[in-house]
Amino acid sequence: MSVIVIVDDRVTNRNIFAKLAASIEAGIVVRTFGDPVEALGWLAGNTPDLIITDYKMPHLDGAEFIRRFREIPKAVDIPVVVITVYEERSFRLRALEAGATDFLHSPVDHHEFVTRARNLLKLRHQQILLESRASSLEKKLEHSERTRATAMRDSREQLAQVIDTVPVMISAANAEGRVLFANRQQAAFAGIDVAAITGAPLAELFGAEHGARNRSLDRVVLETAKALPPFEEEIVGRDGEARVFLTTKSPLRDAADVVTGVLTSSLDISDRKKIEAHLRHLAHHDPLTDLPNRTLLRDRLRRMIVRARRGDQQFALHMIDLDGFKSVNDLLGHAAGDRFIQLVSSRLADTIREHDTLARIGGDEFAILQTSVTNSEDAAEFARRILETVSECSGFEGAPLRAAASVGVAMHPADGLTPSTLINNADFAMYRAKAGRGDSFCFYEADTHARARRDMALDSDLRRALERGEFVLYYQPQIDLSTGAIFGAEALLRWNKPGEGVVAPGAFLGRAEENGLIVPINEWVLREACREAKGWRDASGEPLCVSVNMSPIQFQKHNAPLLVARILGETGLDPRRLDIEITEGIVVTDFDAVASDLRRLLDLGVRISIDDFGTGYSSLTYASRLPVSRLKIDQSFVRNFRPESHDEAIIRTIVTLARSLDLRVIAEGVETVAQMEFLRSEGCDEAQGYYFGRPMPAENFRQLIQTGVSVERSPRRASA
Ligand code: C2E
Ligand code: MG
Ligand code: MG
């Protein structure tokens, strides 16, 4: 219902206008006022939809009336029409300035009056509608804003609750290594109050050592802006108990997507690990004696062979078969037979040394892997002790039994280079011993004199080879996995033996280590490799690096740093271009002396890699305690690599270890694109293997650095 107010001092006009106004639409309410002041009084408490006012009135003219009217709250939007007889612009201007909406000329045209008034009313109604819509929208908005805020607060609280209750330690640190946040699990494990942790240095949360490791891993995440693949780590809690965690680290980004910190979460997998270890133990041990079984023996053999590749370690495999065990069973029954086996196994266990392996590989068959053997006499002496030990079990449980065994011995490397040949040959020797009279041992190769003669011949051949320059170096490319470019090569020794062709080092290095010829041979290798590498430039003119294998024997006299310095001086090779590959075998007795030699080499600017990494007993300790620059993952883990295998876990652990120690890591034995892809995804820095190129003569390598290797293609066979 519309309300129209009419203000005019003349009664006639008021009546006419009121009638016209009432005719605009049905139900219109018209209020008329003769006095504008009186009208203002009414307007202060009422809101009309349209005002029609005369201009010339006593007390107040139209302009002043409008000005005062517009001062009333809510009056700003109400249309006011001024009726004026004055033609002069100045009146209109005043009225406009005061807030008039429209004008009508007096005498008023009735039709025009009605039309204008109707239009203005329509406008007014639309305006009111819009206003009410806007205000309801505003209310709705306000409401939804309020519910959103509550929902946000609720979900944030819920999230915080979840974070605090999940059985995972969660924390975040900023680029300066200060804690941004830690959940309750984390704080409880560290034994600190959650409230006190924000802003504390990482060491406070994790302890000094683990804190430093975390810090360097965080740096990798901050630099690469990428998450680290999950890795396993052992963490000691405040209660002193070490537990195993599966840890992930990922970048923390701000609203502008800039990495500002690192989020770390660690899931406790200690229980799972214990079960796994138990299952592994079951799979690798004999249930009756709890000794390693055949599978584990093979695995230990495989590792020993890798370690002995440089020839610095011989070892012997003894196969032991009890003589006449069947009669124990027949005489005393199976339960007693089992007890007899247990007795023999515990006696044998007392005869072996720390790194030796005693395995039960069949009903009455045992095997002993004897490490640190210098010659066949050592092995023979040990075989005699085995026989003696078994014979001490005679008269078992009071029965009239003479216990005895037959033992077959195979030596590495002379009697075989693989686990299978060693096992077969030791078995063969054992059958020979049994076929004789039993209670005795046999070597695989009975004629030790013939072996000695062969050794002597090899000694003189090697001496001659050195004099006549029959040794050559082959080079195998090393690739930077982030660019796919060759950055250097490993120098690998070959013997161009007259009448026999190219001989690989496995066939003669062992002998050279034994007779000491390794020292002059390796000195030649070092000089030759430095001389050759001095001329290497890649396509962009950048010099390349060379890796040289050094023998542990060369470190025994502690003159290796001097030798290296002299040869670098002679050949003029930039020390930063030389990488020296050592193995764990380097630390035979005096750890500190070797460490100080390595430190002196590093001081020269030379780099040091630990070769065949992961195969030794103390890899982890040596990696953190010896001064080195790079870890070289042994090819046995890489070559046979399959996803989700044991090898995968080892590789991952080595890469993580290298990262936390700030060492580079190279993988050798890369033969397939899948292996390369995996290594790259794990964050391994460098690689070497047949996939990129086999060891090749110097000339071929010089050509290769001009063309480069095609990393994504099928393996190239540059040379044999
Ligand atoms: P290493 O230092 O671990 O060298 C890597 C060996 O793995 C080389 O055997 C190389 O040919 C081989 N290899 C590289 N990539 C692959 C691959 O993808 N698949 C397979 N199956 N094998 C691969 P090589 O040349 O017979 O050398 C054997 C070992 O002899 C070396 O092992 C090193 O311990 C020793 N050696 C070689 N040259 C010297 C030397 O000048 N001085 C000393 N002291 N030892 C040397
Ligand atoms: Mg090597
Ligand atoms: Mg190696």
Side-chain angles (χ1 to χ4, degrees):
M1 197 174 54
S2 307
V3 179
I4 299 180
V5 168
I6 290 164
V7 189
D8 201 315
D9 53 328
R10 277 168 298 177
V11 180
T12 343
N13 283 358
R14 281 207 301 274
N15 289 340
I16 294 170
F17 295 158
K19 218 178 263 162
L20 285 174
S23 75
I24 293 171
E25 57 186 47
I28 281 201
V29 178
V30 183
R31 291 290 311 234
T32 56
F33 294 95
D35 181 354
V37 179
E38 195 188 322
L40 281 171
W42 183 85
L43 285 167
N46 298 279
T47 312
D49 298 295
L50 174 65
I51 298 175
I52 297 168
T53 175
D54 189 17
Y55 190 88
K56 191 167 174 299
M57 294 179 290
H59 313 301
L60 268 161
D61 67 11
E64 185 56 21
F65 166 72
I66 293 171
R67 204 186 54 72
R68 289 203 199 162
F69 167 65
R70 290 285 189 226
E71 277 170 5
I72 301 170
K74 288 203 209 160
V76 271
D77 294 332
I78 298 166
V80 181
V81 180
V82 183
I83 300 175
T84 164
V85 284
Y86 300 92
E87 278 303 320
E88 277 182 45
R89 285 170 51 93
S90 62
F91 290 112
R92 289 191 163 214
L93 261 174
R94 271 195 67 212
L96 272 177
E97 268 167 16
T101 317
D102 205 350
F103 296 93
L104 277 170
H105 287 295
S106 181
V108 170
D109 176 277
H110 291 190
H111 183 66
E112 193 185 355
F113 180 100
V114 172
T115 316
R116 288 251 177 114
R118 186 182 286 134
N119 287 345
L120 284 168
L121 272 183
K122 221 186 259 167
L123 220 71
R124 168 72 184 154
H125 289 317
Q126 255 161 23
Q127 202 177 31
I128 290 171
L129 196 72
L130 275 176
E131 256 168 30
S132 87
R133 284 216 184 126
S135 96
S136 89
L137 213 68
E138 210 167 302
K139 267 187 207 122
K140 266 191 207 146
L141 256 168
E142 238 169 59
H143 177 72
S144 71
E145 190 58 37
R146 261 201 312 276
T147 45
R148 206 173 66 91
T150 335
M152 282 273 283
R153 206 177 46 239
D154 287 355
S155 65
R156 220 175 282 150
E157 268 163 21
Q158 273 165 8
L159 189 64
Q161 263 179 38
V162 170
I163 288 175
D164 268 341
T165 45
V166 284
V168 176
M169 302 199 295
I170 302 173
S171 63
N174 66 10
E176 284 73 49
R178 297 204 166 257
V179 180
L180 292 170
F181 155 87
N183 76 344
R184 208 178 291 157
Q185 299 272 343
Q186 176 77 71
F189 187 77
I192 4 176
D193 186 20
V194 196
I197 197 63
T198 312
L202 275 176
E204 210 154 293
L205 191 56
F206 295 124
E209 193 199 320
H210 183 216
R213 191 167 73 216
N214 252 282
R215 182 91 180 93
S216 40
L217 288 173
D218 280 5
R219 272 198 210 102
V220 178
V221 177
L222 289 163
E223 272 164 28
T224 58
K226 276 201 208 117
L228 293 183
F231 58 93
E232 288 178 11
E233 59 176 349
E234 198 180 81
I235 311 176
V236 182
R238 283 287 150 103
D239 58 2
E241 195 194 344
R243 303 194 63 87
V244 185
F245 289 87
L246 185 70
T247 298
T248 46
K249 282 188 175 283
S250 38
L252 204 64
R253 297 168 191 277
D254 65 8
D257 217 26
V258 175
V259 178
T260 54
V262 178
L263 188 70
T264 304
S265 62
S266 301
L267 175 68
D268 190 339
I269 53 167
S270 308
D271 295 340
R272 195 187 87 194
K273 281 288 188 199
K274 265 187 211 135
I275 295 168
E276 269 176 23
H278 181 62
L279 289 178
R280 215 174 18 247
H281 185 87
L282 288 183
H284 287 133
H285 290 79
D286 161 48
L288 180 64
T289 58
D290 206 34
L291 289 179
N293 61 13
R294 189 180 278 272
T295 317
L296 187 52
L297 175 72
R298 277 183 168 276
D299 192 53
R300 298 259 168 97
L301 267 172
R302 186 172 75 119
R303 278 164 186 268
M304 271 313 292
I305 290 167
V306 170
R307 298 193 68 208
R309 201 159 48 208
R310 274 158 212 266
D312 52 342
Q313 258 165 2
Q314 280 197 60
F315 61 84
L317 177 65
H318 301 258
M319 287 297 208
I320 305 158
D321 193 280
L322 302 182
D323 293 340
F325 175 65
K326 200 173 158 294
S327 58
V328 180
N329 273 338
D330 291 348
L331 209 66
L332 304 172
H334 284 277
D338 282 354
R339 289 198 299 277
F340 180 68
I341 292 291
Q342 282 167 328
L343 174 73
V344 173
S345 75
S346 77
R347 289 285 166 84
L348 285 176
D350 291 338
T351 64
I352 63 169
R353 272 180 302 180
E354 194 190 348
H355 292 314
D356 297 350
T357 300
L358 165 64
R360 181 176 181 228
I361 56 177
D364 60 349
E365 275 179 89
F366 294 89
I368 293 179
L369 178 56
Q370 181 195 8
T371 56
S372 319
V373 177
T374 33
N375 50 43
S376 44
E377 192 36 48
D378 285 351
E381 199 184 303
F382 189 63
R384 272 182 223 115
R385 200 157 78 238
I386 294 173
L387 293 176
E388 220 174 274
T389 308
V390 174
S391 79
E392 281 163 12
C393 300
S394 295
F396 163 75
E397 295 189 352
L401 265 175
R402 208 180 71 81
S406 300
V407 177
V409 190
M411 307 268 297
H412 175 88
D415 299 335
L417 293 171
T418 65
S420 304
T421 35
L422 283 168
I423 290 175
N424 288 343
N425 291 346
D427 258 341
F428 184 78
M430 189 268 291
Y431 286 124
R432 266 221 335 254
K434 192 152 273 214
R437 50 191 169 81
D439 194 14
S440 63
F441 72 90
C442 265
F443 273 97
Y444 170 64
E445 194 181 38
D447 190 352
T448 42
H449 293 296
R451 182 182 291 167
R453 269 201 305 279
R454 236 196 0 251
D455 282 353
M456 269 165 60
L458 184 57
D459 287 355
S460 69
D461 280 356
L462 284 173
R463 208 162 285 124
R464 218 179 25 242
L466 192 60
E467 286 162 10
R468 297 188 183 167
E470 290 169 6
F471 291 117
V472 285
L473 289 185
Y474 273 30
Y475 297 92
Q476 186 177 30
Q478 298 188 338
I479 272 60
D480 183 331
L481 280 177
S482 63
T483 62
I486 303 178
F487 67 89
E490 176 174 8
L492 291 159
L493 184 60
R494 295 290 181 270
W495 179 9
N496 243 331
K497 197 173 178 189
E500 275 189 39
V502 179
V503 182
F508 60 88
L509 268 186
R511 196 60 216 147
E513 304 241 8
E514 254 172 72
N515 63 24
L517 274 175
I518 186 68
V519 175
I521 293 177
N522 226 138
E523 186 173 329
W524 174 84
V525 170
L526 187 62
R527 184 174 288 112
E528 174 60 17
C530 291
R531 199 190 53 72
E532 171 66 26
K534 173 95 163 85
W536 289 344
R537 292 276 181 285
D538 69 8
S540 61
E542 192 57 25
L544 272 65
C545 306
V546 70
S547 291
V548 175
N549 295 285
M550 296 268 272
S551 158
I553 312 265
Q554 291 174 286
F555 282 85
Q556 278 169 15
K557 298 229 159 59
H558 303 298
N559 55 2
L562 200 70
L563 176 73
V564 172
R566 209 176 62 223
I567 289 180
L568 284 171
E570 274 172 33
T571 57
L573 181 75
D574 179 348
R576 287 170 304 176
R577 302 284 153 198
L578 177 63
D579 179 282
I580 292 198
E581 294 193 6
I582 56 160
T583 55
E584 279 179 36
I586 193 178
V587 186
V588 186
T589 45
D590 195 345
F591 186 96
D592 294 333
V594 167
S596 94
D597 277 357
L598 296 180
R599 164 90 28 235
R600 278 159 66 206
L601 282 171
L602 283 182
D603 288 345
L604 289 175
V606 170
R607 291 183 311 167
I608 294 165
S609 304
I610 305 188
D611 202 354
D612 309 339
F613 193 79
T615 60
Y617 296 111
S618 339
S619 302
L620 298 185
T621 332
Y622 286 174
S624 55
R625 289 182 53 210
L626 283 178
V628 296
S629 357
R630 184 170 73 163
L631 303 182
K632 195 168 191 184
I633 305 177
D634 187 66
Q635 48 176 287
S636 59
F637 304 116
V638 179
R639 237 177 333 127
N640 310 317
F641 161 82
R642 266 170 297 101
E644 284 175 44
S645 61
H646 189 51
D647 292 341
E648 174 176 339
I650 293 181
I651 294 173
R652 189 166 283 156
T653 309
I654 297 178
V655 172
T656 311
L657 174 81
R659 275 209 181 120
S660 65
L661 295 172
D662 214 10
L663 303 176
R664 285 185 80 73
V665 55
I666 181 167
E668 68 180 337
V670 180
E671 293 187 350
T672 66
V673 68
Q675 290 161 356
M676 179 198 66
E677 293 292 333
F678 170 71
L679 290 161
R680 185 145 64 187
S681 72
E682 285 303 315
C684 181
D685 305 298
E686 302 159 2
Q688 178 183 343
Y690 291 172
Y691 177 68
F692 309 104
R694 293 188 169 231
M696 61 189 86
E699 199 185 307
N700 298 28
F701 182 68
R702 263 177 259 142
Q703 269 165 23
L704 184 68
I705 44 186
Q706 291 318 308
T707 50
V709 288
S710 162
V711 164
E712 244 71 34
R713 248 188 22 205
S714 59
R716 71 161 54 225
R717 306 269 173 211
S719 173

